[in-house]
Amino acid sequence: MKQFNVGVIGATGMVGQRFMMLLADHPWFNVTALAASSRSAGKTYQEAVGDKWSFPTPIPEKYLSMVILDAEKDMDKIAAAVDFVFCAVNMDKAKIRALEEAYAQKEIPVVSNNSAHRFTPDVPMIIPEINDGHLEVIDAQKQRLGTKRGFIAVKSNCSLQSYVPLLHPLMKYGVKEVAVCTYQAISGAGKTFTTMPEILDNIIPYIGGEEEKSEKEPLKIWGKIKNGEIVSATSPAITAQCLRVPVSDGHTAAVFVKFENKPSKEAILSAWAEFKGVPQELSLPSAPAQFLQYFEEDNRPQAKLDRMAGNGMSVTVGRLREDSVYDYKFVGLSHNTLRGAAGGAVLLAELLAAKGYMD
């Protein structure tokens, strides 16, 4: 695979920091530009991040003296230095939409961690193992934007990773209804226990906008391309509740599912064990060899023990059993800033590169 120069827009936030760690030794991607808001522009990465660095391992040395550019004012300079950008900015959604389209119109592909374009009809929202075929809509998006190379591709919400990949191999049995309750880590809010002391000894039963995303985004992922747009699926019916819990990393989902054609427990376990996606077939650098991992133990998966399965890129599951109201229930877990955020975006970029979209 050829080498690509990449930029990280929003490099100083928690997800941006995670990008920096994942890209420090990436075999395909070399970071050549860092950008953030005007508050950080002109500072070195070390100066801008300082004691806001969120991880126990130190900032990779190669980034310490890199000067941060202004994501908006220095767009031409950034575009000249990179082949594509990752975007993880913390801005108003309308501004993010405009910013990402502006980069695309400068012929720079944008791989976005943001939610701003998730429901733009010709922007693919990808879980790489599930709906890589949606990348084909990029041709229609380029026509709309008037670009030859520039486009936007986004990853889905972090909490979806803890249950949608587990439902996907079961769709052949006619998944009809899903009830899910997610127990979401504080890093999903860009927080640590130091910066979110109110979460200690506490559960907060509301995360703004999260339940709507959890119910609607899977339907776009399972949708079809028609006339240059992605049309969302109309089923299954999904209802969700989302809670913030005192966990540093790892989103847990309690899932209840009803089928048109109820499979056996053995059929479900086999479907999970055997499931592979295009990232596994292509042996992409960030793809876990075993995407879905089942635990037989009654007390697994646990965030503290299992969130780093597959280097944080696998989805773990346990407690599969029949239910008295639905057909089955189970518990899923995914690492929210790896599979759910920066890692998922890096895997998406690898998929795009492998399929020639970055050329």
Side-chain angles (χ1 to χ4, degrees):
M1 177 59 66
K2 64 177 285 190
Q3 299 293 300
F4 295 89
N5 291 331
V6 306
V8 179
I9 313 299
T12 59
M14 182 177 282
V15 174
Q17 293 174 27
R18 182 66 84 176
F19 272 119
M20 306 305 287
M21 294 175 66
L22 292 173
L23 297 171
D25 298 304
H26 196 280
W28 300 356
F29 305 150
N30 178 43
V31 177
T32 54
L34 303 180
S37 68
S38 57
R39 295 189 304 274
S40 298
K43 299 177 182 177
T44 66
Y45 192 68
Q46 185 175 29
E47 291 169 342
V49 175
D51 59 5
K52 293 183 294 183
W53 182 253
S54 302
F55 303 99
T57 53
I59 301 172
E61 189 173 344
K62 65 197 295 184
Y63 302 135
L64 293 175
S65 60
M66 288 184 70
V67 176
I68 295 176
L69 301 172
D70 187 307
E72 296 175 289
K73 295 178 182 177
D74 294 325
M75 196 177 297
D76 287 333
K77 188 173 183 179
I78 295 165
V82 303
D83 296 309
F84 71 91
V85 296
F86 293 104
C87 191
V89 293
N90 184 14
M91 297 167 58
D92 173 83
K93 282 189 180 182
K95 290 184 177 180
I96 293 173
R97 282 194 290 270
L99 181 74
E100 292 180 345
E101 287 205 355
Y103 274 95
Q105 288 174 327
K106 289 187 179 294
E107 302 294 354
I108 300 299
V110 178
V111 179
S112 179
N113 187 71
N114 302 304
S115 64
H117 273 294
R118 286 183 191 156
F119 281 96
T120 302
D122 58 11
V123 171
M125 178 172 63
I126 302 292
I127 296 178
E129 284 86 353
I130 293 178
N131 64 328
D132 64 292
H134 283 189
L135 296 179
E136 295 175 8
V137 82
I138 287 173
D139 290 339
Q141 184 193 147
K142 287 178 179 177
Q143 290 183 354
R144 174 175 64 85
L145 295 175
T147 60
K148 294 181 179 179
R149 185 174 177 273
F151 63 87
I152 303 161
V154 303
K155 53 159 295 301
S156 61
N157 192 45
C158 55
S159 66
L160 268 63
Q161 321 302 317
S162 59
Y163 62 96
V164 170
L166 298 168
L167 293 170
H168 185 69
L170 310 180
M171 294 294 279
K172 60 188 176 183
Y173 299 111
V175 175
K176 186 168 65 172
E177 296 177 14
V178 177
V180 60
C181 189
T182 59
Y183 304 86
Q184 300 186 203
I186 60 174
S187 56
K191 301 291 187 179
T192 64
F193 289 118
T194 300
T195 58
M196 195 179 185
E198 67 272 21
I199 198 65
L200 295 173
D201 191 30
N202 197 17
I203 290 175
I204 299 173
Y206 174 72
I207 305 172
E210 201 75 3
E211 288 161 0
E212 182 180 17
K213 295 174 187 175
S214 299
E215 293 170 355
K216 292 186 176 181
E217 287 187 19
L219 298 179
K220 182 174 180 180
I221 290 166
W222 287 318
K224 304 290 185 184
I225 298 175
K226 293 182 180 178
N227 301 319
E229 296 184 348
I230 299 169
V231 179
S232 293
T234 56
S235 64
I238 302 173
T239 183
Q241 290 200 99
C242 302
L243 293 77
R244 189 73 71 193
V245 297
V247 171
S248 59
D249 294 297
H251 288 354
T252 298
V255 185
F256 302 79
V257 58
K258 186 175 289 187
F259 295 93
E260 296 282 357
N261 302 295
K262 182 181 176 181
S264 67
K265 180 178 179 180
E266 292 71 25
I268 294 175
L269 293 175
S270 293
W272 286 339
E274 295 167 6
F275 182 72
K276 293 183 182 295
V278 171
Q280 285 73 35
E281 294 169 1
L282 297 177
S283 297
L284 298 180
S286 298
Q290 184 64 42
F291 180 33
L292 309 178
Q293 298 185 20
Y294 186 79
F295 288 100
E296 295 286 352
E297 298 91 336
D298 287 338
N299 63 348
R300 306 282 285 276
Q302 294 180 28
K304 196 169 186 177
L305 297 178
D306 303 314
R307 59 193 169 207
M308 288 304 297
N311 293 318
M313 293 295 287
S314 293
V315 177
T316 54
V317 56
R319 302 207 70 210
L320 175 65
R321 58 220 191 275
E322 293 196 49
D323 184 64
S324 59
V325 176
Y326 288 76
D327 288 326
Y328 286 98
K329 53 191 171 188
F330 56 84
V331 176
L333 170 71
S334 62
H335 195 302
N336 56 293
T337 68
L338 286 169
R339 169 57 72 166
V346 171
L347 184 61
L348 171 54
E350 292 167 1
L351 178 65
L352 288 160
K355 287 183 170 285
Y357 286 93
M358 301 301 197
D359 294 342

